[in-house]
Amino acid sequence: MKPFVLFLALLIAVPTALAASIDTTKLDQLFAALEQRNEAMGSIVVSQNGRVVYSRAIGFRLINDETSIPADVATNYRIWSITKMYTAVMIMQLVEEGRLSLQTTLSSTPLFQMLKSSAFSRC
């Protein structure tokens, strides 16, 4: 549960802090402390105006009996079904706000209509 709470805190804090400017020293200190205490694994890339301003990876991309390979910013993480939980929470929040109902079909959403009429439909 600790890593999940930490992830949510970072998800909220990092974009808020970056709205003004980015202090890479503080981010490096935060991630170094998390890595040293073995409290988190993952990669983060922050961009502003289409330009990467910070990237960092902590933890390992592979750990087994023979080897441990450190993660890098290009590591692909196997998140499996965890995204279902985030999707369900976001849907229920939209239902609470009255912006969506549980009977809404995907094909009737503005995003789907936009994608359907865009260049994506010609691929």
Side-chain angles (χ1 to χ4, degrees):
M1 186 67 169
K2 245 185 192 180
F4 179 71
V5 172
L6 175 65
F7 171 76
L8 288 179
L10 287 173
L11 194 62
I12 294 166
V14 170
T16 304
L18 293 176
S21 66
I22 182 167
D23 185 347
T24 58
T25 305
K26 287 187 179 181
L27 284 173
D28 282 334
Q29 290 171 350
L30 169 66
F31 292 120
L34 291 172
E35 186 172 30
Q36 183 179 24
R37 292 189 297 241
N38 203 21
E39 290 184 351
M41 284 195 195
S43 302
I44 183 170
V45 176
V46 178
S47 66
Q48 279 181 318
N49 302 321
R51 186 176 61 89
V52 173
V53 293
Y54 183 80
S55 62
R56 175 82 186 254
I58 60 175
F60 298 93
R61 67 176 169 183
L62 175 67
I63 300 173
N64 61 32
D65 293 335
E66 295 114 27
T67 188
S68 297
I69 301 173
D72 59 31
V73 292
T75 298
N76 290 321
Y77 296 95
R78 296 179 180 165
I79 58 174
W80 292 305
S81 293
I82 194 167
T83 56
K84 292 176 188 173
M85 176 178 50
Y86 292 108
T87 303
V89 168
M90 288 186 287
I91 288 171
M92 295 310 292
Q93 287 175 336
L94 290 171
V95 169
E96 284 180 348
E97 293 172 6
R99 297 171 58 195
L100 189 70
S101 89
L102 293 178
Q103 287 72 40
T104 303
T105 61
L106 182 61
S107 62
S108 69
T109 62
L111 177 62
F112 186 84
Q113 295 300 320
M114 181 186 72
L115 291 174
K116 186 177 173 185
S117 65
S118 73
F120 291 111
S121 63
R122 293 185 279 276
C123 294

